[in-house]
Amino acid sequence: MIHVALAGNPNTGKTSLFNILTGSYEYVGNWTGVTVEKKVGILRNKQGELVDLPGIYSLNPLSRDEGVATQFLLSESFTSILNIVDASQLERNLYLTVQLLEYGKPVIIGLNMMDVARGRGFMIDEAKLSARLGVPVLPIVARTGAGCEELGVELIRTENQQAFTFALDYGPVLERSIKRLVDMMPAEITLPKRWLAIQFFEGNALVRELLESHITAERLVQLLAATEREVLASSDARSLPHYIRLVRGAFITGVMEDAITRTKNETYTLSERIDHIVTNRVLGIPIFLLFMFLMFKLTFDWLGTPLSDQIDGFLNGTFADMLRSSLVAAGASNFIQAVVLNGIVAGVGGVLVFVPQIFILFFLISFIEDSGYMARVAMVMDRLMQAIGLNGKAFIPMIIGFGCNVPGVMAARTVEQPKERLLTILLTPLMSCSARLPVYSLFVGMFFVHNQALVVLSMYVLGVVVALLLAKLFSSTLLKQEGSMFVVELPPYRFPQWRTLLRSTWEKGKGFVKKAGTLIFGGSVAIWFLSYAGPGGLNVDMNQSFLAMIGGFLAPLFAPLGFGTWEAGASLLTGFMAKEVVVATMNIIYAAPNEGSLQKILATHFTPLSAYSFMAFILLYVPCLATVGVIRKETGSARWTWFSIGYALVIAYIIALVIYQGGRLLGLQ
């Protein structure tokens, strides 16, 4: 059985190829850093497994995701490497290829995006490229699956293939040092010793740490210093790693001259023409906001709300009546009927009505991602991020956080600078994730009917603005840091495939449906029981229930914010489990004892001003339980985890207070 490592630069189609070869599906985004851990899938032919490593430019790790790939080569067992290469960016991609070839395991190269390369006037001779590199090279188009079946067959052929030797000549000085270091390595080191030596001289910290466990640090330092002195004395290199890059660059240039023919010189591509507008220093951010506005317009005004209204009518009308009749016919007790109708149907159903809006939003986000525009957003935001102590790469996890804060926090691994990474982790939960969307939908559908898209957009913008302001504050006080460099891949614009869009939408949205069937289901039953029971026993008036007691304790704290009722306090408390549970709780509290729409009932408890204040508080207050858990895992610190909860609660209170009290001073209600 073969065990293949799938490696390549970011945005080469690596994860798409993984999906085709294994039949599984992983989250695919058109920017650097989506895959931040290795993922394993069984090949379609059941003859082996494929390990999807993070997209990296080099084996010398600068960030945690790059470290995953290097650590895999150092500690995992595998039979071969599948290196996917962007044919339209061949020269840059071959730098990683050379490092993988030097490892000594059998390598197969998947030459992806051949259609893009031809469109740019590059004709690649795969046979010559294969001859120069000494490994099989197969042209593919991962987005359509062209050539992938042949690639899968070639992978099986590597099962009994012996390791091969690929050795660049690094010159007499470095070659002598490589040999000396290899001779110093003890027999218990079973990894390819020449590769380890080259990586050590290149400055790979993980390799150095490994060697220091077998060879004294003093000997390694002396050898490194002596080698660098001799190399710099006999070359124009600025450092030893720079010298190694020059040698590899000369080899890659020779390969390019042999294997590539230019059929046309396209100096200004269509992507570059579009980028001239959408990444413009002045127009870039307004264009991004316009895209967001149109996205919310489709989600709420034009498509989502009519569909949600139909589902609401079915669940609370036809379905509820049928279920009530079935329970009565089955002889169910009043208690069971109350649990099912007032607990489960009211709670879970109150959240499920927003499924159309969730899926429409995810579909549109997937479209923007796969089109190549999202990477441009990160580049546009880089100018703003630099001013507050971060860079554009830190905005990528925040963009991911629009879908769910959990993968957004995990994506912060791609940020190289430790303090910058920590700051990104702390701020990403302020992004308005899909779990908040049912709350927005509930309130804008009642209080802001004619401006739904604009009000929801204001919530997303508020989250970003608060995050940027706090980034400036934290980066200049708690987390002072050195400057960092931002590098992002700008893939060509392309029209996404419908199959990919639909699958991506389902992968993003199924978590919402799953939560409705598990967490929200259980939470709804628990919340209903707390509203059903009290110190006086069961089936008490809701105002005398345990839930009212808990909410009543919190209510005075929220009175200055415009929602100082026990119902609002209880809803906010349950939102710590998951933000969707806020709507489930409200549906149970407000709608259970009454017949009628939840939105109509809310109109008697909120004003437009207090509703907007409530939405702002939901946006900013404590992260959900799952996000808190991943913050603890990613930071490795209970102190920073508690800080993320505490500062968010304080900021949410201040912002909601300013909105409500400021609005009252202006005469708004």
Side-chain angles (χ1 to χ4, degrees), residues 257-285:
E257 290 174 351
D258 283 352
I260 293 184
T261 303
R262 290 295 298 267
T263 59
K264 63 179 179 179
N265 291 315
E266 188 176 359
T267 57
Y268 200 49
T269 65
L270 177 61
S271 287
E272 289 170 337
R273 294 189 188 100
I274 298 174
D275 283 343
H276 186 70
I277 300 172
V278 300
T279 64
N280 183 273
R281 183 179 296 272
V282 176
L283 298 176
I285 293 179

Side-chain angles (χ1 to χ4, degrees), residues 622-661:
V622 295
C624 70
L625 194 59
T627 304
V628 170
V630 80
I631 290 173
R632 177 67 177 86
K633 178 184 175 184
E634 294 299 306
T635 61
S637 168
R639 181 169 66 92
W640 284 115
T641 304
W642 281 109
F643 177 79
S644 69
I645 296 172
Y647 96 80
L649 193 57
V650 171
I651 290 298
Y653 195 92
I654 292 172
I655 296 295
L657 182 67
V658 170
I659 289 173
Y660 185 69
Q661 297 299 336

Side-chain angles (χ1 to χ4, degrees), residues 160-195:
N160 300 315
Q161 185 176 336
Q162 299 298 315
F164 73 103
T165 301
F166 176 90
L168 291 184
D169 184 355
Y170 286 100
V173 175
L174 185 52
E175 287 293 338
R176 281 197 305 269
S177 294
I178 290 172
K179 186 177 185 308
R180 284 184 61 191
L181 183 52
V182 168
D183 292 340
M184 291 164 61
M185 296 181 198
E188 56 261 32
I189 294 182
T190 57
L191 292 165
K193 292 182 170 61
R194 177 179 171 85
W195 178 81

Side-chain angles (χ1 to χ4, degrees), residues 93 147 193 220 230 312 334 362 378 394 438 460 472 490 505 574 615 631 648 656:
N93 281 230
K193 292 182 170 61
L220 290 172
E230 291 186 58
D312 187 27
N334 291 335
F362 279 149
Y460 281 74
K472 182 64 175 177
L490 293 182
T505 301
T574 59
M615 288 191 291
I631 290 173

